[in-house]
Amino acid sequence: MSGGGVTVAMEEVGDPPADVLAEAAAAFGLLSSPPRLHIVWALAQGECDVTGLAERVGGALPAVSQHLAKLKLAGLVRSRREGRRVVYLIDDQDIVATVQVLVGRLAERAGRPGGRARGLGA
């Protein structure tokens, strides 16, 4: 597998344990929702309250709140209170790094002449 100049031969690493694969599948499943993925992307840029996130991702407040609750339950984001305001921030930098690499690469590919995302979701 190649990425960022680092090559890892999968046969050298071996197969991950079943519980690790299950956890990875759960994280990918959680991030398979475009609004949740957008929320994680936005929070990777900096902390934000639910109103700011709703404006940025173009979602209704109740829907964004539900997405945040799921992300929080999974341990990907956390919140803290600032007076009457609740601010959300990333709580799992490894997942964010994965999201940034994948989305960034797909955006680069889509921006090239004749380029496009692979159409994995189509």
Side-chain angles (χ1 to χ4, degrees), residues 27-45 57 67 71 76 90 95-96 98-100 102-103 106:
F28 283 122
L30 185 65
L31 294 172
S32 69
S33 160
R36 281 195 292 270
L37 190 58
H38 197 171
I39 289 167
V40 170
W41 181 267
L43 289 175
Q45 313 307 310
V57 304
H67 289 307
L71 291 167
L76 300 182
I90 293 298
I95 295 293
V96 170
T98 301
V99 167
Q100 288 176 321
L102 178 61
V103 173
L106 290 173

Side-chain angles (χ1 to χ4, degrees), residues 102-112 114-122:
L102 178 61
V103 173
R105 296 268 169 104
L106 290 173
E108 286 173 12
R109 188 178 300 147
R112 290 186 198 134
R116 68 188 263 303
R118 287 193 179 130
L120 298 173

Side-chain angles (χ1 to χ4, degrees), residues 8-27:
V8 177
M10 293 315 243
E11 60 275 359
E12 292 175 18
V13 175
D15 292 339
D19 60 332
V20 171
L21 290 171
E23 187 174 347

Side-chain angles (χ1 to χ4, degrees), residues 68-88:
L68 284 165
K70 289 180 181 183
L71 291 167
K72 192 173 175 182
L73 188 63
L76 300 182
V77 302
R78 63 185 163 95
S79 63
R80 74 176 191 317
R81 201 166 264 296
E82 283 186 357
R84 300 171 75 184
R85 207 178 110 182
V86 177
V87 176
Y88 292 88

